[in-house]
Amino acid sequence: MEFCLFRLVFAPQISNCSCFDLIQECDTDLSCALFPRLSRLTMALSSVSRCLVLVLVMLAVVPQAYAQNCNTTLLAAVKADPRLQQLAAVIEAAGLADTVERLVNVTVIAPDNNAFNGTNGLLSLLRQNNLNLTDVTAPGQNRAASILLYHIIAGPARAADLKNNQVLTTFLGPNYTLRVNKQTAPTLIVSFVGTGSNATVTAADVPVCSSIVHVVNNVLLPATNLTAIPAYTAPGAAPGSPPGSMVPTPPGSQAPSGSGASSLSVGSMAFALSVAVAAVLMN
């Protein structure tokens, strides 16, 4: 009787004893009258604890399985989109490829090719100031990187979630914000108002794993003239560096890499493991 009670209290998941078995095994023992309610309470608490463990396992494993199923990155998605080829080239020239590669859980406002190459595009603006892309990506003069950071917002935000006149803080820094201009009738039109220029969304809610991309028709400028845009320097810049000289730490973790097959395999294995653990816990 004592052995069965021990197993019932401390190892109910592997015990073949119930509180009723315990009573039957020791019906000649007057002390057994004390155990049924205690046994029932113990089993109930044990079931609750196993359910809690199950929930924790599912919360820990299933999101990881989902994340592993993402087999692309923001940089890869930009490079693969024919509308964003010039944006991809500027990201590379500005030295932000590694940063963009690691970004997850963000909103990217992505200027299309015409936003750079068009009559009123960024490259035309550079020429009007006797500059070219090399001039604004050189060390100590890398304003192109600062302009790009002005197009990234922490957290994925779909067009439907944005509010009119909402202020968005960009990765360039807390002093560099965008304002949302949203029109819902007769059709939904979303624009972003920057300090030096505005941009209207031409393709909204492009999903890239846990991030959202909005393609826009213009490059947003964080200042009214190029010389007022802070030059970007590498992370770890010395104190006193201008605003925007530090890239904020990307929210979330590094996006998974590898083939779709291997990502799916890892995700499937993780999910199978969670199911197996759940089955053991519920026995």
Side-chain angles (χ1 to χ4, degrees), residues 246-266:
M246 299 283 288
V247 177
T249 301
S253 57
Q254 181 174 348
S257 59
S259 67
S262 62
S263 297
L264 182 59
S265 175
V266 173

Side-chain angles (χ1 to χ4, degrees), residues 189-247:
I189 299 176
V190 176
S191 298
F192 297 97
V193 180
T195 302
S197 60
N198 307 334
T200 299
V201 175
T202 58
D205 302 338
V206 180
V208 181
C209 297
S210 61
S211 297
I212 293 294
V213 175
H214 300 299
V215 180
V216 295
N217 64 350
N218 199 18
V219 175
L220 293 164
L221 298 177
T224 54
N225 59 76
L226 290 176
T227 57
I229 298 174
Y232 163 82
T233 55
S241 298
S245 63
M246 299 283 288
V247 177

Side-chain angles (χ1 to χ4, degrees), residues 52-141:
L52 289 175
V53 171
L54 172 61
V55 170
L56 292 175
V57 169
M58 296 298 287
L59 288 176
V61 175
V62 173
Q64 291 298 322
Y66 172 79
Q68 289 292 344
N69 282 330
C70 176
N71 60 354
T72 190
T73 65
L74 273 169
L75 182 61
V78 168
K79 288 182 175 181
D81 193 323
R83 299 169 297 183
L84 305 178
Q85 295 305 292
Q86 189 61 54
L87 174 60
V90 175
I91 290 173
E92 294 282 357
L96 289 182
D98 288 343
T99 297
V100 176
E101 181 83 14
R102 294 184 292 112
L103 289 177
V104 293
N105 301 321
V106 297
T107 298
V108 175
I109 302 168
D112 61 19
N113 294 329
N114 194 58
F116 290 95
N117 299 326
T119 304
N120 297 316
L122 178 63
L123 299 184
S124 175
L125 177 63
L126 292 178
R127 287 192 293 271
Q128 293 172 18
N129 288 270
N130 297 317
L131 298 170
N132 56 39
L133 188 58
T134 302
D135 296 323
V136 294
T137 56
Q141 300 295 325

